Amino acid sequence: GFDARDQLVIGDARGAVLELAHPLVDRFDLSNLRYLFSGAAPLGGEITRALQARLPLTVRQGYGMTELSPVSHYTPADGERSGKVGLLVPSTEMRIVDPATGADVGEGEAGEVWIRGPQAMNGYLNNPAATAQTIDADDWLHTGDIGVVDAEGYLEIVDRLKELIKVKAFQVAPAELEALLLKHPKIADAAVFGVPNADLGEEVKAVVQLMPGVEPSVETVAELMAFCVDHLSRQKCPRSIDFEAELPRLPTGKLYKRTLRDRYWGDGQSRIV
């Protein structure tokens, strides 16, 4: 919604795509709008730059979760970096950890984001087992998000740990493919996840919501497949694409992939919440 002064808040990349594509945007005078704030899910650098090219504003991101009351990172004024969620807030520490080894990774390498600070929760109410899975003995909160930190200390969120697709020896990040699909002019929304494959372990599945007026067809699937192959390596591309009239989302705007993924895995099999 609109702030009383000069800020527009969107949910995530899907909201940004709608801002870019919707013809209603051109019917309003947005010259007084100066900032757009995005949360709930990563907003990639290319979409950020496209938004700023269309609208007279600066895009700013932050990062957090309910368990962090609710933030650990924020972008300072005049410190925006396309596709990045910002710097650590005061009195807060962070580690980027290899999920397989528990060792810290280097600058520019992807790993799970661990946070420690006064805003971190003490635990889940009446659920010590879940608390022990999230907060370790040294009070590090394991976010479950995969991130990369650059030389300036800016964090980029690239995916969720539980959502990584295991295609033989490769781990495919759904967010990368989702961001690519959202760049296609026929796609309004996209969800990517792994489904069972007897030979590969998992294969990449995409479920997309088309722009108004675009009809699902075999030709559209072929067009989207070719678009993915042109931009990504083969193991990161979907082996199949399905269409939905509207993708399920939580009130926060976050994609609710579990309802989609459970169709292929069955009850109790999904790793996605």
Side-chain angles (χ1 to χ4, degrees):
F2 283 97
D3 183 88
R5 297 167 296 173
D6 57 6
Q7 179 166 290
L8 174 65
V9 179
I10 63 171
D12 57 7
R14 174 178 177 267
V17 169
L18 292 176
E19 289 287 343
L20 284 169
H22 206 292
L24 275 176
V25 174
D26 296 324
R27 293 174 51 187
F28 294 90
D29 179 7
L30 301 177
S31 58
N32 290 327
L33 186 64
R34 294 192 297 161
Y35 301 101
L36 183 148
F37 184 80
S38 176
L43 182 64
E46 292 195 24
I47 294 178
T48 298
R49 290 186 287 273
L51 269 171
Q52 293 180 145
R54 184 179 187 195
L55 299 174
L57 49 74
T58 298
V59 177
R60 185 173 296 162
Q61 293 195 61
Y63 169 74
M65 55 201 308
T66 302
E67 291 88 342
L68 290 171
S69 310
V71 299
S72 63
H73 289 73
Y74 190 75
T75 302
D78 301 320
E80 296 81 7
R81 303 288 188 276
S82 289
K84 304 195 176 176
V85 300
L87 301 166
L88 276 169
V89 298
S91 304
T92 303
E93 302 171 88
M94 175 178 63
R95 294 173 61 190
I96 306 293
V97 177
D98 183 332
T101 67
D104 291 66
V105 303
E107 177 187 302
E109 296 182 55
E112 185 182 8
V113 180
W114 291 11
I115 300 292
R116 184 166 65 183
Q119 76 275 48
M121 69 170 186
N122 291 327
Y124 296 107
L125 182 64
N126 299 327
N127 196 339
T131 299
Q133 290 179 344
T134 305
I135 303 175
D136 64 27
D138 295 319
D139 293 329
W140 288 102
L141 188 147
H142 301 199
T143 67
D145 286 316
I146 301 296
V148 177
V149 175
D150 66 15
E152 296 181 292
Y154 278 77
L155 175 65
E156 178 183 5
I157 300 297
V158 297
D159 223 308
R160 286 286 295 168
L161 178 61
K162 290 183 178 180
E163 294 187 11
L164 291 178
I165 304 168
K166 299 173 178 62
V167 182
K168 282 195 172 180
F170 297 99
Q171 294 206 51
V172 177
E176 182 180 9
L177 178 54
E178 289 169 353
L180 175 66
L181 288 169
L182 286 172
K183 291 166 57 180
H184 195 283
K186 292 185 178 180
I187 292 182
D189 204 359
V192 174
F193 47 89
V195 297
N197 181 294
D199 298 321
L200 303 175
E202 290 183 291
E203 66 178 60
V204 180
K205 161 75 74 175
V207 180
V208 301
Q209 175 184 331
L210 297 173
M211 285 291 186
V214 180
E215 295 296 327
S217 66
V218 173
E219 291 75 21
T220 302
V221 170
E223 179 183 344
L224 296 177
M225 289 283 200
F227 177 72
C228 294
V229 170
D230 285 343
H231 292 84
L232 294 174
S233 59
R234 287 281 180 176
Q235 71 267 16
K236 294 182 179 181
C237 293
R239 291 174 67 93
S240 59
I241 298 176
D242 291 349
F243 300 102
E244 289 283 331
E246 185 174 0
L247 297 190
R249 285 185 173 266
L250 298 171
T252 60
K254 180 182 177 182
L255 269 171
Y256 189 52
K257 295 185 187 179
R258 184 170 185 171
T259 58
L260 299 171
R261 194 176 188 274
D262 279 355
R263 298 176 189 174
Y264 306 93
W265 287 86
D267 294 342
Q269 303 260 359
S270 179
R271 292 179 288 111
I272 296 176
V273 176

